[in-house]
Amino acid sequence: MAAGLSTTCSGASSPASLPTKAIVFWLLAAFFPVVRPQVVLVNDTVSGFIGTNVVLHCSFTNPQPSVKITQVTWQKATNGSKTNVAIFNPTMGTSILPPYVDRVAFRNPSFRDGTIELSRLELDDEGVYICEFATFPSGNRESQLNLTVLAKPTNSMESGPSPIIATPGVARKIVVATCTSANGKPASTITWETTLKGEPEYEEIKNSNGTTTVVSRYRLVPSREAHRQTLTCVINYQLDRFTKTTTLNVHYEPEVSIKGFDGNWYLKRSDVKLTCKSDANPPATSFRWRMVNGTIPENVEIQNTTLFFKGPVTYSLAGTYECEVANAIGTRSWLVEVNVTDKPLPQGASGSLIGIVGGGIVALFLIVVAISTFVLHRRQQKSQTETDSDLIDLPPSHKPAPPPKKKPEMKSHLTAEDIQVVHLENMKQDEDMKKLPLQTPYYDLSAYDSPEYSEKQNSGTKDSDVQYAELDTSALASSPSPRSSVHASGELVEYATIQPNIR
């Protein structure tokens, strides 16, 4: 098969496209296998590019012994009429008719095969082709196919004027590149890839031979920003992709700035200078310094684009300096106001650096404080949790008693007179005493039957006024009083009643 050929093969007829009688015929053939249909098979569609070769298949199926094939004919349908292309006759041989002479040939002509090859495709070859088998006595059998001729476009890209001139004060868009896909069938699609802030425009031209030419132009306002930017044309046709890139060369007037004045020129400062910076294409050809409303001081030396101020700074250097730059496109200038102070001012850069460092230190300090607070809080929670756990695990008899509430307004000091020693009577024998368990010392905080205390009690003293005090029993043990009692085991047992010393 020739290069560029694309075909799909199927029966030229199907039950869906046949008339009612043919459908009945197919149904009868299904139920009665003895009756076999006679069909001409061709490709539904065939396509090829201009200049290539294509093969048009055609075959006759299930010929009956009683059926005689008399001729195979290829025809082209044009505007409702049929034109013969090629004929095969078993007796007379083959015949190719104009304008297909030397371009059409039967590949293997026979009673069953009428395939032909069409060489050097032309756009006029596109159309509907009919393959017909003439039989006797059954009549003619035919099928048709569609031949599509494709045309690969010729792709190109042309840059606009070079250089592109960015005229000062003019905002008119101009064409900087043109992308063309000519004589394509079907038509191509064109897109642009770029970061430029332009816009494309498209045009399709229908050619008389059935092809299409697509043209796209990219327009933008020339500017300094567009200089050295890339612009890529992308053409897509079928499965082919064409790209071409151009780099813009824009000529623009100088972009001027003055460097060197930091806002801190003070008296007696040395080594100061002003430098004129310029961005221009083509490069600047002249630089001119001048002082607005005055003349440049005598101690100033001009070297190329720089003003060097010799000696220490004085008030005479203050003023407005202008740098004017010119190139082939235009002239631009820039001004700088120089002020002279008595003393140095805080450097903006140093102040910024100090602020950054100080801010970093403060942020670090806050982070450390936050982490420390968090860790301390977690430790306190852990300690409190462990303490609560220990208290829960202790039996009731071992849990510490809550501390007594103290009232700062009630302060009492126990004296020897407030301590009373109660003697243990010999109520039982020593043997009974040994059997008794040791008792916790009992402190009777109730009022004692003494006239003095009764008077104080009647004076409005409440139980809450009774204060606990530590009992120093070492003194009592050293000098037993008549109120102490010696246990049989030799231990000194004392019961005491503490009375508040209310004054």
Side-chain angles (χ1 to χ4, degrees):
M1 185 179 297
L5 178 63
S6 174
T7 63
T8 59
C9 182
S10 67
S13 305
S14 65
S17 61
L18 294 178
T20 305
K21 293 181 179 180
I23 296 176
V24 173
F25 173 79
W26 281 95
L27 293 176
L28 291 174
F31 287 100
F32 301 97
V34 177
V35 180
R36 294 182 296 175
Q38 298 176 349
V39 180
V40 177
L41 296 179
V42 297
N43 304 111
D44 287 338
T45 59
V46 178
S47 62
F49 287 99
I50 294 178
T52 63
N53 302 340
V54 295
V55 176
L56 308 182
H57 291 274
C58 180
S59 61
F60 188 74
T61 63
N62 300 324
Q64 300 296 321
S66 59
V67 176
K68 182 179 180 181
I69 298 176
T70 59
Q71 186 170 290
V72 179
T73 305
W74 277 95
Q75 297 175 320
K76 182 180 179 183
T78 305
N79 297 326
S81 62
K82 297 180 180 180
T83 303
N84 290 336
V85 175
I87 301 173
F88 166 70
N89 186 285
T91 303
M92 305 297 295
T94 61
S95 175
I96 309 299
L97 286 78
Y100 300 98
V101 178
D102 299 332
R103 292 202 302 125
V104 173
F106 283 93
R107 300 192 72 179
N108 187 22
S110 66
F111 292 118
R112 293 191 177 187
D113 191 354
T115 301
I116 62 174
E117 182 175 357
L118 177 59
S119 304
R120 302 184 302 279
L121 276 180
E122 300 175 358
L123 285 174
D124 292 338
D125 293 336
E126 183 172 284
V128 177
Y129 289 81
I130 302 170
C131 179
E132 179 184 79
F133 279 78
T135 64
F136 181 83
S138 301
N140 297 340
R141 298 285 187 271
E142 66 179 35
S143 290
Q144 65 183 25
L145 61 83
N146 291 316
L147 174 62
T148 301
V149 179
L150 306 176
K152 285 186 176 181
T154 302
N155 302 321
S156 63
M157 178 182 180
E158 296 180 0
S159 300
S162 183
I164 302 170
I165 307 300
T167 307
V170 177
R172 181 175 60 88
K173 293 182 178 180
I174 65 172
V175 177
V176 296
T178 301
C179 201
T180 304
S181 180
N183 304 320
K185 188 175 179 298
S188 305
T189 59
I190 301 178
T191 57
W192 297 89
E193 293 180 354
T194 184
T195 57
L196 292 168
K197 297 181 180 179
E199 60 181 16
E201 61 182 21
Y202 299 94
E203 180 184 6
E204 284 193 3
I205 303 172
K206 301 293 185 179
N207 301 316
S208 59
N209 59 0
T211 61
T212 304
T213 298
V214 182
V215 180
S216 178
R217 302 174 182 88
Y218 196 89
R219 295 180 177 271
L220 60 76
V221 178
S223 64
R224 182 173 64 94
E225 292 74 18
H227 181 53
R228 294 181 179 176
Q229 296 294 317
T230 59
L231 181 61
T232 302
C233 167
V234 180
I235 300 177
N236 289 293
Y237 175 81
Q238 300 291 318
L239 299 179
D240 297 335
R241 177 182 172 90
F242 168 86
T243 61
K244 189 173 182 179
T245 301
T246 184
T247 301
L248 302 187
N249 179 22
V250 182
H251 282 192
Y252 52 91
E253 63 182 0
E255 188 76 13
V256 185
S257 63
I258 298 177
K259 306 296 182 182
F261 180 67
D262 57 1
N264 190 23
W265 284 23
Y266 52 89
L267 293 177
K268 298 183 179 181
R269 179 179 174 179
S270 59
D271 298 328
V272 294
K273 61 182 179 180
L274 295 176
T275 301
C276 188
K277 300 290 185 179
S278 173
D279 176 19
N281 185 35
T285 55
S286 68
F287 290 82
R288 188 172 71 90
W289 283 97
R290 74 184 188 92
M291 196 168 184
V292 180
N293 299 327
T295 59
I296 296 178
E298 296 181 355
N299 62 334
V300 176
E301 180 181 353
I302 301 177
Q303 295 183 7
N304 297 325
T305 62
T306 304
L307 289 181
F308 290 94
F309 296 84
K310 297 181 178 180
V313 173
T314 62
Y315 285 118
S316 63
L317 303 184
T320 302
Y321 294 82
E322 180 184 17
C323 176
E324 184 181 85
V325 184
N327 69 350
I329 305 302
T331 301
R332 295 283 297 275
S333 63
W334 191 258
L335 302 175
V336 63
E337 181 73 23
V338 174
N339 299 317
V340 178
T341 59
D342 295 335
K343 297 179 180 180
L345 299 176
Q347 293 294 324
S350 301
S352 301
L353 181 61
I354 294 174
I356 294 173
V357 174
I361 294 175
V362 171
L364 181 61
F365 174 76
L366 293 177
I367 293 174
V368 171
V369 170
I371 294 175
S372 302
T373 304
F374 176 75
V375 172
L376 181 61
H377 180 67
R378 291 295 301 270
R379 287 181 178 178
Q380 290 178 349
Q381 287 183 339
K382 184 177 180 181
S383 177
Q384 182 66 29
T385 303
E386 292 177 352
T387 303
D388 295 343
S389 177
D390 293 341
L391 291 177
I392 293 173
D393 295 339
L394 288 175
S397 60
H398 290 78
K399 291 184 179 179
K405 296 182 180 179
K406 297 182 180 180
K407 295 184 179 180
E409 66 276 10
M410 294 298 294
K411 295 182 179 180
S412 62
H413 302 279
L414 296 179
T415 60
E417 290 79 2
D418 297 329
I419 301 174
Q420 297 181 2
V421 180
V422 180
H423 295 276
L424 292 176
E425 301 295 339
N426 295 329
M427 298 189 309
K428 294 184 180 181
Q429 300 296 329
D430 292 341
E431 297 177 358
D432 296 335
M433 293 297 291
K434 293 180 180 180
K435 297 179 181 180
L436 293 174
L438 293 178
Q439 301 293 329
T440 304
Y442 169 74
Y443 301 95
D444 187 4
L445 302 180
S446 61
Y448 198 72
D449 295 335
S450 63
E452 181 181 0
Y453 183 77
S454 298
E455 293 176 0
K456 295 179 179 180
Q457 186 180 22
N458 295 332
S459 64
T461 304
K462 300 179 182 179
D463 294 340
S464 60
D465 297 331
V466 178
Q467 302 293 324
Y468 289 90
E470 294 181 359
L471 178 62
D472 187 3
T473 59
S474 60
L476 298 176
S478 60
S479 57
S481 64
R483 298 179 182 179
S484 61
S485 175
V486 180
H487 195 270
S489 60
E491 298 178 354
L492 180 62
V493 179
E494 299 170 331
Y495 287 173
T497 303
I498 301 176
Q499 298 179 355
N501 186 10
I502 302 176
R503 290 177 171 80

